[in-house]
Amino acid sequence: MRRNYGIELITKNTKYHESRITWSEKTYEDPSLLPHRYVFILTNRCNLRCSFCFQEKNRIAGSMTTLEWKNLIDQLPNYAHVTLTGGEPFIFKGFKEVFLKVTEKLTCNIISNGLLLNEDLIDLLLERKNFEVLSISFDNIGNTLRDVPTEKWNRTEEMLKLFIEKRNDKEASQLLDMKTVILDENSKDLFEIYKYCKEVLKADTHSFMFLKGHPIQHSDIMFPLEAINSLSEAHIYADLDLIRNQLEMVRAYNIKNGVYSYTHPKFINLNSTTPLTPKDFQLINEKDHIPELFQNCKAPWASVHINVDGNLFPCMAINTGNVKKTSLSSIIHGKVFSEFKEEIRRCGTISGCNRCGYLLKKTT
């Protein structure tokens, strides 16, 4: 399925994705509406220090309190979807209070490394019907690329299996999603990683993430507005043919077994009946962003991030205002955010979009 709205869905959509399609189109056309998705960076602290992480993870002054996060939730529209992330979101001391407040009225997903999962936390997640997806980072079997001690990862796997077991016993609808960053170090193992997630961990969905091409994307430190047009070179993968062969095995597996997986950016359809070809990967190893090759992006109208210190930003980390000082609506309809959206509307995409996960290549 393909719709022109800033995120390309090329396979079966989840309920969340269907909502995002609807609200992406509405908010782009109606400037009075607030976005659909709100990413809460509850903390930028993390119990891991992955070499390829896009966040600084240095202590930021003025972190949002539990009460301030709860006050922000009261300002969200009734159609909002909230992503709780970090850093590592389960480190945040007020996580339970924020999670319960969000899921009283809004749908929610969580992005985590999974190391702090325990049975009590799993029970909490599964008791909330508005909680939809638990996404866990997993980059190789054993997760050694994230420098996770073996005993800690073995325990995490047991918790993921328990999540699925309890979910199935309750006949609940929450999904387990695994996220794999594609690196030169794991490129030869992508299919085995995928099979492991599907067959051993019983994951419902899987996302393969290509390394982003600009440090301004989803950063936990703020950049000046003019940095959105600054140049940055994306990582060049050493063996793209190897990656293509691995992902072709994933695609064939999906068709054979009736399951689904995705790539970010969504240039590559892992759920098509048509085999992958080198043409599908033409844009992945471009070091520079070439705007004329991409569709106009509408993602900033659909999704915003609130940093650990309350600074609100779109997909690119520019400070458009602070929710501790200014109302959510005033920031989103304010001068800086409006200038950013108008630049995207005028240009379609810009240098800061380099290999962004929201990019859609133009169709011929």
Side-chain angles (χ1 to χ4, degrees), residues 115-133:
L115 296 182
L116 298 179
L117 275 177
N118 56 45
E119 188 166 359
D120 289 343
L121 189 50
I122 289 170
D123 288 338
L124 172 69
L125 301 182
L126 292 176
E127 74 180 20
R128 307 297 281 188
K129 291 184 178 180
N130 277 336
F131 173 60
E132 295 186 337
V133 182

Side-chain angles (χ1 to χ4, degrees), residues 10-11 251 261 263 266-274 276 280:
I10 49 183
T11 184
R251 184 207 64 81
S261 58
T263 67
K266 295 176 172 62
F267 299 162
I268 300 157
N269 187 348
L270 297 180
N271 309 295
S272 171
T273 56
T274 304
L276 302 178
D280 295 307

